[in-house]
Amino acid sequence: MASASNGRFFTIGLVASWYSSNIGVLLLNKYLLSSYGFKYPILLTMCHMTACSLLSYLAIAWMRMVPMQTGEPSFHLFGFIMCVAATAARALKSVLQGILLSSEGEKLNSMNLLLYMAPIAVVFLLSATLIMEKNVVGITIALARDDFRIVWYLLFNSALAYFVNLTNLLVTKHTSALTLQVLGNAKGAVAVVVSILIFKNPVSMTGMLGYSLTVCGVILYSEAKKRSK
């Protein structure tokens, strides 16, 4: 009974950590992209994935928080396609994460899975940044010379994105891919409310209806899950 209660509190803590870090990234992204005027979302996302790669490696190889896990050393087309698809599609990504985190054949832990996923995302985002956001590096350096706070904003935003992705994987592992999607929808509604309180954004009746339906859907899912148990 005690172990079940501890497991429940652990899961609640994971979800709370995921929510808080996720909403923090969303709000900081909004500040950088809108209020601050740093209009380079692809570079910002690439910074996120770079932080995920570096911090995952530091946590595994240097701090030894979890053991380093390897995949098959030879190239495997199916694994490559799955990894690319996981980076490209949110819903499919969640399902694949659940399989990799729980299947007997792989059973990667969350840090190692993030370590292997993030560099692939960096490669794709770097290409997109160079093509779609030309001279963004020079512009960012110029901005840093005028206001060095942008460097701290980007570093903090990237580090926070690491915790978002790590807790995302942990929530997937300890709940399910479907639960993650439902929680993600609810998180969107919560983030909007927090954003309204901070940035005073106007909300239309259509938006309010959408948020209300989202919350109702989360409640119905929770009730259905309780009944299934």
Side-chain angles (χ1 to χ4, degrees):
M1 191 63 151
S3 61
S5 179
N6 291 337
R8 189 178 300 109
F9 282 118
F10 179 72
T11 302
I12 291 172
L14 282 179
V15 173
S17 300
W18 178 57
Y19 259 53
S20 57
S21 58
N22 218 308
I23 291 173
V25 165
L26 288 173
L27 295 177
L28 190 52
N29 283 350
K30 181 175 177 59
Y31 173 76
L32 285 170
L33 296 172
S34 300
S35 302
Y36 194 89
F38 187 77
K39 300 183 182 299
Y40 304 100
I42 301 176
L43 177 66
L44 194 59
T45 307
M46 192 188 77
C47 289
H48 293 174
M49 291 298 101
T50 301
C52 289
S53 303
L54 294 176
L55 292 175
S56 294
Y57 183 78
L58 287 175
I60 296 170
W62 184 54
M63 299 176 68
R64 300 186 183 279
M65 295 178 68
V66 295
M68 177 72 79
Q69 293 174 295
T70 55
E72 182 64 34
S74 60
F75 177 79
H76 195 289
L77 181 61
F78 177 76
F80 176 76
I81 293 173
M82 288 298 101
C83 203
V84 171
T87 305
R90 175 190 166 195
L92 181 58
K93 177 172 74 73
S94 298
V95 174
L96 291 173
Q97 284 171 179
I99 294 172
L100 290 171
L101 290 168
S102 60
S103 70
E104 292 300 324
E106 298 293 339
K107 214 158 192 178
L108 288 169
N109 61 53
S110 301
M111 282 187 180
N112 277 276
L113 181 56
L114 186 57
L115 176 65
Y116 291 124
M117 286 175 56
I120 296 174
V122 170
V123 171
F124 281 97
L125 289 166
L126 178 60
S127 302
T129 300
L130 295 175
I131 295 171
M132 302 176 66
E133 297 177 346
K134 295 180 179 179
N135 199 29
V136 66
V137 176
I139 293 171
T140 304
I141 293 173
L143 283 172
R145 287 173 179 166
D146 294 335
D147 184 5
F148 195 75
R149 290 180 302 171
I150 184 66
V151 176
W152 296 114
Y153 288 148
L154 290 174
L155 288 174
F156 179 68
N157 187 269
S158 300
L160 198 56
Y162 166 73
F163 289 103
V164 169
N165 285 279
L166 181 60
T167 51
N168 179 290
L169 294 174
L170 288 168
V171 171
T172 303
K173 181 175 182 177
H174 289 87
T175 57
S176 68
L178 178 58
T179 299
L180 182 74
Q181 294 304 308
V182 174
L183 290 173
N185 292 333
K187 174 211 66 185
V190 174
V192 167
V193 172
V194 175
S195 180
I196 290 170
L197 294 174
I198 295 177
F199 296 104
K200 311 298 182 185
N201 293 331
V203 184
S204 64
M205 288 300 297
T206 304
M208 289 297 295
L209 178 62
Y211 305 142
S212 300
L213 289 173
T214 299
V215 173
C216 289
V218 172
I219 294 172
L220 290 172
Y221 172 76
S222 300
E223 289 299 318
K225 194 168 184 180
K226 287 179 183 177
R227 290 175 184 176
S228 67
K229 291 181 179 180

